[in-house]
Amino acid sequence: MREDVSNTAAFPTARCEPCGKSVLTYVTLDERGGEVRCCVHCDGVIGEELRWLNASELEAEGYEIGYRPEDKAKSSGGSCGTGCGSCATRKG
């Protein structure tokens, strides 16, 4: 069972044409220093209008929100348990 995530949070999503689906987006800077919104999966520029989804709506889109306490218990050395090694190797 996962810990609940507040449904008051809003996550920016939009349709990504290269991925062919609705995706989470992030903001970065273009070559001129202007803000541009990109896909979290392919890093492609998003030209579509944003939709702000709460946690339940985002899960309906196929994303998993929060973490399962059993995953945290399996992690070692204070890492997040994703397996990337970054957390466990980070020095204070």
Side-chain angles (χ1 to χ4, degrees):
M1 181 170 165
R2 279 182 306 135
E3 286 193 7
D4 288 332
V5 174
S6 169
N7 245 358
T8 60
F11 300 90
T13 66
R15 174 136 180 101
C16 175
E17 287 306 320
C19 290
K21 61 183 179 179
S22 178
V23 298
L24 280 168
T25 67
Y26 67 92
V27 174
T28 190
L29 301 177
D30 64 17
E31 59 279 350
R32 295 183 314 247
E35 289 185 359
V36 63
R37 189 139 313 250
C38 295
C39 171
V40 298
H41 300 282
C42 73
D43 296 321
V45 174
I46 299 292
E48 301 294 322
E49 187 173 328
L50 288 180
R51 290 180 25 221
W52 291 86
L53 304 180
N54 65 33
S56 296
E57 294 167 328
L58 193 60
E59 284 188 328
E61 294 282 327
Y63 288 93
E64 186 173 319
I65 306 297
Y67 70 92
R68 292 181 294 263
E70 62 270 18
D71 289 343
K72 187 175 182 182
K74 290 178 190 174
S75 67
S76 61
S79 68
C80 62
T82 63
C84 71
S86 177
C87 299
T89 61
R90 192 173 297 149
K91 303 285 183 197

